[in-house]
Amino acid sequence: MTGARIAVIAGDGIGGEVIDSARAVLDAVSARHGIELSYTEFDWSCQRYQQTGAMMPEDGIETLRAFDAIFLGAVGWPGVPDHVSLWGLLIPIRRAFRQYVNLRPIKVFDGVRSPLRTADKVDFVVVRENVEGEYSEIGGRMNRGFPDEMAVQESVFTRVGVSRIADYALELARTRRGYVTSATKSNGIVHTLPFWDEVVAERAAAYPDVQVDSEHIDALAAKFVLQPQRFDVVVGSNLFGDILSDLAAAVAGSIGIAPSANLDPTREFPSMFEPVHGSAPDIAGKGVANPVGAVWSAAMMLDHLGFPEAAADVLAAMEATLAQPQTRTRDLGGTASTAEVTAALIAELG
Ligand code: NAI
Ligand code: MG
């Protein structure tokens, strides 16, 4: 492939600001590598919801299906409940396109201060199961409004679902330091998580070159803080992966630099790339948002689309600008604007 068709959903708040920055960086790196990216913009957002009553049109998923990738800024705005923006856009995309891997790399870069005092390199990836587990639609409420009101929500763990996420983590570890940590809680959750452990162990047997440890989620959370440098690939269920990846982003110094990918590794459907942060209404429109989370997500998109050299160039440009105090945004203790960081990234890309 020499090019790709990308659907762009800037979303709300700083979503548009960081997407603009990342697109400028993508243009620079594409020119350098002779890659032709075409973009189609969609105004799907909370603003659209307020005007029309829906985050996206009814045929939104059908429309996105034709693209090679989806690049998303952030959605969410005061006045629109967060579950509307999540279940009206992000979750339907993840599920309809079977994006069963949520990938979140964590790195403490030179020049970025982690809240932890660790001298060693922190460089690991959280692999979150993204379509089943605890985030199921199975359950309900009964006896509403009465003293015996109750709520039940089922967790769903399937052999196919656990096997493929374990395989993804094991394959990824082979390209890194060969070490997988599986998040569990099979001492307390006595049906689903022993099953998770069993299936992970079965898959691990096929990768004798990869070391696999199982850790209970409570102890694992403590180790993320106390010894983040020991991890390489951490795999967890939907809920455990969600919590661990936000904790990990905090350990890395700022939510503003954290990227994520929602992947369909089979490539039947488009995958989606988005910074971890939200729409940041408190700083929206001020031109001070850190664009690095979106830029790193764009690099992950290039990698997935088959342009690893271009992705590596973007990462190198990010590392160089983060290392300089004058090209760090406020969230990292600097004074640079979004535009100044963007210009510096483009200059690095020559
Ligand atoms: P948030 O990530 O938008 O902001 C949290 C704090 O981090 C704020 O103080 C913000 O200024 C700062 N921050 C975030 N990104 C930054 C960046 N790139 N540069 C500098 N500072 C940055 O989370 P919050 O405030 O909880 O949520 C705001 C809205 O965003 C809500 O409606 C929420 O639902 C939505 N949201 C959407 C997500 C998505 O689209 N995937 C993810 C998280 C939240
Ligand atoms: Mg989260």
Side-chain angles (χ1 to χ4, degrees):
M1 204 195 296
T2 56
R5 298 183 55 205
I6 297 167
V8 179
I9 306 172
D12 301 293
I14 63 165
E17 301 170 41
V18 298
I19 288 284
D20 283 349
S21 167
R23 276 188 54 182
V25 172
L26 279 170
D27 285 345
V29 76
S30 300
R32 182 166 163 178
H33 287 268
I35 302 166
E36 281 172 35
L37 300 179
S38 75
Y39 301 95
T40 307
E41 292 174 17
F42 297 95
D43 67 349
W44 305 347
S45 58
C46 288
Q47 210 182 335
R48 186 183 189 282
Y49 176 85
Q50 282 167 330
Q51 284 158 7
T52 69
M55 293 292 297
M56 66 174 159
E58 254 173 50
D59 62 354
I61 295 289
E62 262 330 293
T63 305
L64 292 178
R65 192 182 294 263
F67 291 86
D68 298 309
I70 302 160
F71 191 35
L72 184 128
V75 290
W77 200 247
V80 178
D82 285 345
H83 71 265
V84 167
S85 44
L86 196 60
W87 284 88
L89 188 69
L90 291 178
I91 291 187
I93 293 173
R94 290 176 185 163
R95 297 202 167 176
F97 297 145
R98 297 177 74 106
Q99 294 167 348
Y100 66 83
V101 177
N102 185 266
L103 201 60
R104 297 229 199 147
I106 314 296
K107 225 168 167 171
V108 177
F109 290 96
D110 286 342
V112 177
R113 208 162 350 122
S114 165
L116 307 177
R117 272 167 294 158
T118 164
D120 304 295
K121 280 269 176 233
V122 174
D123 182 355
F124 63 96
V125 183
V126 177
V127 176
R128 166 186 173 191
E129 201 294 318
N130 212 26
V131 295
E132 57 173 51
E134 303 86 349
Y135 293 27
S136 87
E137 288 146 85
I138 300 172
R141 275 173 70 170
M142 281 174 66
N143 306 332
R144 279 178 195 259
F146 291 103
D148 55 346
E149 183 168 1
M150 59 176 279
V152 173
Q153 179 143 9
E154 300 289 352
S155 293
V156 175
F157 286 73
T158 66
R159 181 169 288 282
V160 167
V162 180
S163 300
R164 68 189 176 188
I165 199 71
D167 281 338
Y168 189 88
L170 290 156
E171 292 284 349
L172 182 62
R174 271 192 173 154
T175 69
R176 297 175 50 98
R177 303 198 302 277
Y179 177 43
V180 171
T181 308
S182 164
T184 187
K185 189 66 193 171
S186 44
N187 55 352
I189 311 282
V190 297
H191 300 299
T192 49
L193 288 167
F195 178 65
W196 166 279
D197 290 354
E198 259 170 61
V199 177
V200 170
E202 272 171 40
R203 298 311 310 154
Y207 299 78
D209 49 322
V210 177
Q211 185 194 336
V212 180
D213 282 345
S214 234
E215 301 257 13
H216 290 306
I217 186 70
D218 41 357
L220 188 53
K223 283 181 189 167
F224 264 39
V225 174
L226 296 173
Q227 309 171 304
Q229 68 283 357
R230 78 200 289 270
F231 298 106
D232 180 21
V233 175
V234 180
V235 63
S237 65
N238 211 332
L239 178 62
F240 289 174
D242 187 9
I243 298 169
L244 286 177
S245 48
D246 270 33
L247 175 59
V251 165
S254 170
I255 189 100
I257 60 176
S260 78
N262 300 275
L263 301 177
D264 167 19
T266 72
R267 293 168 191 272
E268 184 180 353
F269 298 107
S271 292
M272 177 165 65
F273 301 83
E274 50 170 335
V276 167
H277 64 75
S279 57
D282 54 335
I283 58 164
K286 297 191 176 141
V288 298
N290 190 343
V292 169
V295 169
W296 193 354
S297 304
M300 294 174 81
M301 180 167 74
L302 287 170
D303 201 38
H304 178 77
L305 291 170
F307 308 114
E309 291 94 3
D313 282 359
V314 172
L315 238 344
M318 269 170 48
E319 277 174 12
T321 53
L322 285 170
Q324 299 298 325
Q326 67 274 18
T327 47
R328 285 181 215 142
T329 43
R330 283 193 214 168
D331 54 308
L332 301 176
T335 56
S337 66
T338 311
E340 283 164 344
V341 176
T342 310
L345 287 163
I346 291 170
E348 281 294 333
L349 289 165

